[in-house]
PDB file of all heavy atoms in Angstrom:
ATOM      1  N   PHE K   8      11.957  -4.981 -11.633  1.00  0.00           N
ATOM      2  CA  PHE K   8      10.975  -5.015 -10.522  1.00  0.00           C
ATOM      3  C   PHE K   8       9.771  -5.879 -10.872  1.00  0.00           C
ATOM      4  O   PHE K   8       9.445  -6.059 -12.132  1.00  0.00           O
ATOM      5  CB  PHE K   8      10.449  -3.583 -10.260  1.00  0.00           C
ATOM      6  CG  PHE K   8      11.388  -2.643  -9.534  1.00  0.00           C
ATOM      7  CD1 PHE K   8      12.366  -1.978 -10.236  1.00  0.00           C
ATOM      8  CD2 PHE K   8      11.381  -2.531  -8.171  1.00  0.00           C
ATOM      9  CE1 PHE K   8      13.231  -1.132  -9.563  1.00  0.00           C
ATOM     10  CE2 PHE K   8      12.253  -1.686  -7.522  1.00  0.00           C
ATOM     11  CZ  PHE K   8      13.191  -0.999  -8.239  1.00  0.00           C
ATOM     12  N   THR K   9       9.205  -6.412  -9.969  1.00  0.00           N
ATOM     13  CA  THR K   9       8.026  -7.236 -10.158  1.00  0.00           C
ATOM     14  C   THR K   9       7.088  -7.137  -8.947  1.00  0.00           C
ATOM     15  O   THR K   9       7.512  -6.877  -7.812  1.00  0.00           O
ATOM     16  CB  THR K   9       8.364  -8.751 -10.404  1.00  0.00           C
ATOM     17  OG1 THR K   9       7.182  -9.447 -10.756  1.00  0.00           O
ATOM     18  CG2 THR K   9       9.046  -9.358  -9.219  1.00  0.00           C
ATOM     19  N   GLY K  10       5.856  -7.318  -9.153  1.00  0.00           N
ATOM     20  CA  GLY K  10       4.752  -7.226  -8.085  1.00  0.00           C
ATOM     21  C   GLY K  10       3.485  -6.883  -8.807  1.00  0.00           C
ATOM     22  O   GLY K  10       3.431  -6.090  -9.785  1.00  0.00           O
ATOM     23  N   GLY K  11       2.423  -7.487  -8.276  1.00  0.00           N
ATOM     24  CA  GLY K  11       1.108  -7.186  -8.806  1.00  0.00           C
ATOM     25  C   GLY K  11      -0.051  -7.890  -8.190  1.00  0.00           C
ATOM     26  O   GLY K  11       0.082  -8.452  -7.116  1.00  0.00           O
ATOM     27  N   GLY K  12      -1.267  -7.659  -8.775  1.00  0.00           N
ATOM     28  CA  GLY K  12      -2.445  -8.121  -8.227  1.00  0.00           C
ATOM     29  C   GLY K  12      -3.249  -7.052  -7.582  1.00  0.00           C
ATOM     30  O   GLY K  12      -4.451  -6.989  -7.651  1.00  0.00           O
ATOM     31  N   THR K  13      -2.627  -6.214  -6.795  1.00  0.00           N
ATOM     32  CA  THR K  13      -3.190  -4.983  -6.176  1.00  0.00           C
ATOM     33  C   THR K  13      -2.287  -3.796  -6.316  1.00  0.00           C
ATOM     34  O   THR K  13      -1.094  -4.010  -6.523  1.00  0.00           O
ATOM     35  CB  THR K  13      -3.519  -5.240  -4.772  1.00  0.00           C
ATOM     36  OG1 THR K  13      -2.261  -5.324  -4.016  1.00  0.00           O
ATOM     37  CG2 THR K  13      -4.301  -6.522  -4.473  1.00  0.00           C
ATOM     38  N   ALA K  14      -2.801  -2.631  -6.163  1.00  0.00           N
ATOM     39  CA  ALA K  14      -1.915  -1.466  -6.251  1.00  0.00           C
ATOM     40  C   ALA K  14      -0.909  -1.454  -5.086  1.00  0.00           C
ATOM     41  O   ALA K  14       0.233  -0.879  -5.338  1.00  0.00           O
ATOM     42  CB  ALA K  14      -2.841  -0.097  -6.117  1.00  0.00           C
ATOM     43  N   GLY K  15      -1.253  -2.042  -4.016  1.00  0.00           N
ATOM     44  CA  GLY K  15      -0.380  -2.156  -2.844  1.00  0.00           C
ATOM     45  C   GLY K  15       0.949  -2.940  -3.195  1.00  0.00           C
ATOM     46  O   GLY K  15       1.905  -2.818  -2.462  1.00  0.00           O
ATOM     47  N   HIS K  16       0.924  -3.718  -4.186  1.00  0.00           N
ATOM     48  CA  HIS K  16       2.089  -4.508  -4.668  1.00  0.00           C
ATOM     49  C   HIS K  16       2.838  -3.751  -5.705  1.00  0.00           C
ATOM     50  O   HIS K  16       3.862  -4.178  -6.195  1.00  0.00           O
ATOM     51  CB  HIS K  16       1.704  -5.858  -5.168  1.00  0.00           C
ATOM     52  CG  HIS K  16       1.294  -6.824  -3.999  1.00  0.00           C
ATOM     53  ND1 HIS K  16       0.214  -7.656  -4.177  1.00  0.00           N
ATOM     54  CD2 HIS K  16       1.740  -7.022  -2.786  1.00  0.00           C
ATOM     55  CE1 HIS K  16       0.190  -8.401  -3.077  1.00  0.00           C
ATOM     56  NE2 HIS K  16       1.008  -7.991  -2.160  1.00  0.00           N
ATOM     57  N   VAL K  17       2.369  -2.548  -6.085  1.00  0.00           N
ATOM     58  CA  VAL K  17       2.979  -1.843  -7.189  1.00  0.00           C
ATOM     59  C   VAL K  17       3.558  -0.504  -6.747  1.00  0.00           C
ATOM     60  O   VAL K  17       4.692  -0.054  -7.061  1.00  0.00           O
ATOM     61  CB  VAL K  17       2.018  -1.635  -8.393  1.00  0.00           C
ATOM     62  CG1 VAL K  17       2.652  -0.990  -9.580  1.00  0.00           C
ATOM     63  CG2 VAL K  17       1.384  -2.975  -8.765  1.00  0.00           C
ATOM     64  N   THR K  18       2.723   0.272  -6.042  1.00  0.00           N
ATOM     65  CA  THR K  18       3.081   1.606  -5.697  1.00  0.00           C
ATOM     66  C   THR K  18       4.413   1.744  -4.832  1.00  0.00           C
ATOM     67  O   THR K  18       5.202   2.642  -5.031  1.00  0.00           O
ATOM     68  CB  THR K  18       2.014   2.360  -4.989  1.00  0.00           C
ATOM     69  OG1 THR K  18       1.493   1.627  -3.822  1.00  0.00           O
ATOM     70  CG2 THR K  18       0.849   2.671  -5.882  1.00  0.00           C
ATOM     71  N   PRO K  19       4.739   0.730  -4.006  1.00  0.00           N
ATOM     72  CA  PRO K  19       6.013   0.848  -3.329  1.00  0.00           C
ATOM     73  C   PRO K  19       7.152   0.664  -4.308  1.00  0.00           C
ATOM     74  O   PRO K  19       8.236   1.231  -4.132  1.00  0.00           O
ATOM     75  CB  PRO K  19       5.969  -0.281  -2.274  1.00  0.00           C
ATOM     76  CG  PRO K  19       4.501  -0.526  -2.005  1.00  0.00           C
ATOM     77  CD  PRO K  19       3.883  -0.255  -3.344  1.00  0.00           C
ATOM     78  N   ASN K  20       7.055  -0.246  -5.266  1.00  0.00           N
ATOM     79  CA  ASN K  20       7.992  -0.401  -6.356  1.00  0.00           C
ATOM     80  C   ASN K  20       8.173   0.886  -7.052  1.00  0.00           C
ATOM     81  O   ASN K  20       9.389   1.320  -7.322  1.00  0.00           O
ATOM     82  CB  ASN K  20       7.541  -1.507  -7.342  1.00  0.00           C
ATOM     83  CG  ASN K  20       7.908  -2.875  -6.918  1.00  0.00           C
ATOM     84  OD1 ASN K  20       8.753  -3.065  -6.036  1.00  0.00           O
ATOM     85  ND2 ASN K  20       7.237  -3.837  -7.536  1.00  0.00           N
ATOM     86  N   ILE K  21       7.165   1.624  -7.371  1.00  0.00           N
ATOM     87  CA  ILE K  21       7.270   2.881  -8.033  1.00  0.00           C
ATOM     88  C   ILE K  21       8.008   3.944  -7.142  1.00  0.00           C
ATOM     89  O   ILE K  21       8.844   4.664  -7.649  1.00  0.00           O
ATOM     90  CB  ILE K  21       5.916   3.443  -8.435  1.00  0.00           C
ATOM     91  CG1 ILE K  21       5.235   2.533  -9.491  1.00  0.00           C
ATOM     92  CG2 ILE K  21       6.033   4.877  -8.974  1.00  0.00           C
ATOM     93  CD1 ILE K  21       3.849   2.867  -9.871  1.00  0.00           C
ATOM     94  N   ALA K  22       7.758   3.940  -5.911  1.00  0.00           N
ATOM     95  CA  ALA K  22       8.466   4.749  -4.888  1.00  0.00           C
ATOM     96  C   ALA K  22       9.926   4.572  -4.908  1.00  0.00           C
ATOM     97  O   ALA K  22      10.689   5.487  -4.951  1.00  0.00           O
ATOM     98  CB  ALA K  22       7.888   4.597  -3.463  1.00  0.00           C
ATOM     99  N   ILE K  23      10.367   3.305  -5.016  1.00  0.00           N
ATOM    100  CA  ILE K  23      11.772   2.939  -5.051  1.00  0.00           C
ATOM    101  C   ILE K  23      12.396   3.392  -6.433  1.00  0.00           C
ATOM    102  O   ILE K  23      13.491   3.999  -6.526  1.00  0.00           O
ATOM    103  CB  ILE K  23      11.994   1.476  -4.800  1.00  0.00           C
ATOM    104  CG1 ILE K  23      11.491   1.127  -3.430  1.00  0.00           C
ATOM    105  CG2 ILE K  23      13.426   1.068  -4.898  1.00  0.00           C
ATOM    106  CD1 ILE K  23      11.383  -0.454  -3.177  1.00  0.00           C
ATOM    107  N   MET K  24      11.638   3.070  -7.514  1.00  0.00           N
ATOM    108  CA  MET K  24      12.143   3.463  -8.795  1.00  0.00           C
ATOM    109  C   MET K  24      12.473   4.898  -8.921  1.00  0.00           C
ATOM    110  O   MET K  24      13.499   5.360  -9.555  1.00  0.00           O
ATOM    111  CB  MET K  24      11.065   3.008  -9.919  1.00  0.00           C
ATOM    112  CG  MET K  24      10.774   1.606 -10.179  1.00  0.00           C
ATOM    113  SD  MET K  24       9.528   1.516 -11.435  1.00  0.00           S
ATOM    114  CE  MET K  24       8.862  -0.095 -11.044  1.00  0.00           C
ATOM    115  N   ASN K  25      11.550   5.710  -8.302  1.00  0.00           N
ATOM    116  CA  ASN K  25      11.692   7.129  -8.466  1.00  0.00           C
ATOM    117  C   ASN K  25      12.968   7.672  -7.685  1.00  0.00           C
ATOM    118  O   ASN K  25      13.444   8.812  -7.975  1.00  0.00           O
ATOM    119  CB  ASN K  25      10.483   7.902  -7.768  1.00  0.00           C
ATOM    120  CG  ASN K  25       9.207   7.739  -8.677  1.00  0.00           C
ATOM    121  OD1 ASN K  25       9.350   7.387  -9.842  1.00  0.00           O
ATOM    122  ND2 ASN K  25       8.077   7.910  -8.073  1.00  0.00           N
ATOM    123  N   GLU K  26      13.459   6.870  -6.817  1.00  0.00           N
ATOM    124  CA  GLU K  26      14.628   7.281  -6.002  1.00  0.00           C
ATOM    125  C   GLU K  26      16.001   6.767  -6.648  1.00  0.00           C
ATOM    126  O   GLU K  26      17.024   7.118  -6.168  1.00  0.00           O
ATOM    127  CB  GLU K  26      14.526   6.891  -4.589  1.00  0.00           C
ATOM    128  CG  GLU K  26      13.404   7.565  -3.815  1.00  0.00           C
ATOM    129  CD  GLU K  26      13.406   9.078  -3.875  1.00  0.00           C
ATOM    130  OE1 GLU K  26      14.465   9.648  -3.602  1.00  0.00           O
ATOM    131  OE2 GLU K  26      12.390   9.658  -4.306  1.00  0.00           O
ATOM    132  N   LEU K  27      15.916   5.849  -7.558  1.00  0.00           N
ATOM    133  CA  LEU K  27      17.095   5.272  -8.070  1.00  0.00           C
ATOM    134  C   LEU K  27      17.714   6.335  -9.115  1.00  0.00           C
ATOM    135  O   LEU K  27      16.966   6.957  -9.786  1.00  0.00           O
ATOM    136  CB  LEU K  27      16.807   3.988  -8.843  1.00  0.00           C
ATOM    137  CG  LEU K  27      16.589   2.800  -7.956  1.00  0.00           C
ATOM    138  CD1 LEU K  27      16.119   1.543  -8.753  1.00  0.00           C
ATOM    139  CD2 LEU K  27      17.724   2.439  -7.024  1.00  0.00           C
ATOM    140  N   ASP K  28      19.033   6.314  -9.225  1.00  0.00           N
ATOM    141  CA  ASP K  28      19.740   7.222 -10.115  1.00  0.00           C
ATOM    142  C   ASP K  28      19.457   6.651 -11.569  1.00  0.00           C
ATOM    143  O   ASP K  28      20.045   5.623 -11.862  1.00  0.00           O
ATOM    144  CB  ASP K  28      21.176   7.297  -9.775  1.00  0.00           C
ATOM    145  CG  ASP K  28      21.968   8.320 -10.602  1.00  0.00           C
ATOM    146  OD1 ASP K  28      21.500   8.719 -11.638  1.00  0.00           O
ATOM    147  OD2 ASP K  28      23.029   8.694 -10.169  1.00  0.00           O
ATOM    148  N   GLN K  29      18.736   7.358 -12.355  1.00  0.00           N
ATOM    149  CA  GLN K  29      18.451   6.932 -13.706  1.00  0.00           C
ATOM    150  C   GLN K  29      19.668   6.856 -14.552  1.00  0.00           C
ATOM    151  O   GLN K  29      19.761   6.204 -15.677  1.00  0.00           O
ATOM    152  CB  GLN K  29      17.412   7.845 -14.345  1.00  0.00           C
ATOM    153  CG  GLN K  29      16.186   8.037 -13.537  1.00  0.00           C
ATOM    154  CD  GLN K  29      15.122   6.928 -13.823  1.00  0.00           C
ATOM    155  OE1 GLN K  29      15.047   6.480 -15.005  1.00  0.00           O
ATOM    156  NE2 GLN K  29      14.289   6.538 -12.940  1.00  0.00           N
ATOM    157  N   ALA K  30      20.772   7.605 -14.175  1.00  0.00           N
ATOM    158  CA  ALA K  30      21.996   7.525 -14.930  1.00  0.00           C
ATOM    159  C   ALA K  30      22.763   6.270 -14.696  1.00  0.00           C
ATOM    160  O   ALA K  30      23.651   5.877 -15.506  1.00  0.00           O
ATOM    161  CB  ALA K  30      22.911   8.787 -14.600  1.00  0.00           C
ATOM    162  N   LYS K  31      22.443   5.560 -13.568  1.00  0.00           N
ATOM    163  CA  LYS K  31      23.145   4.377 -13.234  1.00  0.00           C
ATOM    164  C   LYS K  31      22.350   3.109 -13.468  1.00  0.00           C
ATOM    165  O   LYS K  31      22.889   2.041 -13.624  1.00  0.00           O
ATOM    166  CB  LYS K  31      23.534   4.350 -11.791  1.00  0.00           C
ATOM    167  CG  LYS K  31      24.498   5.467 -11.326  1.00  0.00           C
ATOM    168  CD  LYS K  31      24.755   5.440  -9.835  1.00  0.00           C
ATOM    169  CE  LYS K  31      25.722   6.456  -9.400  1.00  0.00           C
ATOM    170  NZ  LYS K  31      25.968   6.387  -7.936  1.00  0.00           N
ATOM    171  N   TRP K  32      20.973   3.269 -13.558  1.00  0.00           N
ATOM    172  CA  TRP K  32      20.044   2.096 -13.570  1.00  0.00           C
ATOM    173  C   TRP K  32      19.183   2.145 -14.778  1.00  0.00           C
ATOM    174  O   TRP K  32      18.484   3.186 -15.066  1.00  0.00           O
ATOM    175  CB  TRP K  32      19.247   2.019 -12.255  1.00  0.00           C
ATOM    176  CG  TRP K  32      20.088   1.637 -11.038  1.00  0.00           C
ATOM    177  CD1 TRP K  32      20.606   2.502 -10.173  1.00  0.00           C
ATOM    178  CD2 TRP K  32      20.430   0.314 -10.659  1.00  0.00           C
ATOM    179  NE1 TRP K  32      21.240   1.809  -9.231  1.00  0.00           N
ATOM    180  CE2 TRP K  32      21.170   0.509  -9.476  1.00  0.00           C
ATOM    181  CE3 TRP K  32      20.242  -0.933 -11.245  1.00  0.00           C
ATOM    182  CZ2 TRP K  32      21.760  -0.626  -8.835  1.00  0.00           C
ATOM    183  CZ3 TRP K  32      20.751  -2.008 -10.497  1.00  0.00           C
ATOM    184  CH2 TRP K  32      21.545  -1.893  -9.394  1.00  0.00           C
ATOM    185  N   ASP K  33      19.136   0.982 -15.406  1.00  0.00           N
ATOM    186  CA  ASP K  33      18.082   0.794 -16.459  1.00  0.00           C
ATOM    187  C   ASP K  33      16.932  -0.049 -15.796  1.00  0.00           C
ATOM    188  O   ASP K  33      17.232  -1.099 -15.299  1.00  0.00           O
ATOM    189  CB  ASP K  33      18.688  -0.058 -17.565  1.00  0.00           C
ATOM    190  CG  ASP K  33      17.719  -0.274 -18.807  1.00  0.00           C
ATOM    191  OD1 ASP K  33      16.562   0.087 -18.654  1.00  0.00           O
ATOM    192  OD2 ASP K  33      18.182  -0.751 -19.830  1.00  0.00           O
ATOM    193  N   ILE K  34      15.778   0.580 -15.621  1.00  0.00           N
ATOM    194  CA  ILE K  34      14.667  -0.046 -14.914  1.00  0.00           C
ATOM    195  C   ILE K  34      13.726  -0.664 -15.840  1.00  0.00           C
ATOM    196  O   ILE K  34      13.178  -0.088 -16.734  1.00  0.00           O
ATOM    197  CB  ILE K  34      13.999   1.029 -14.056  1.00  0.00           C
ATOM    198  CG1 ILE K  34      15.000   1.685 -13.046  1.00  0.00           C
ATOM    199  CG2 ILE K  34      12.806   0.433 -13.237  1.00  0.00           C
ATOM    200  CD1 ILE K  34      14.534   2.920 -12.377  1.00  0.00           C
TER     201      ILE K  34
END
Side-chain angles (χ1 to χ4, degrees):
F8 285 85
T9 184
T13 68
H16 288 139
V17 185
T18 53
N20 275 342
I21 295 174
I23 298 167
M24 290 179 206
N25 289 341
E26 296 304 312
L27 288 175
D28 186 342
Q29 304 272 329
K31 295 180 181 179
W32 289 96
D33 185 352
I34 301 169

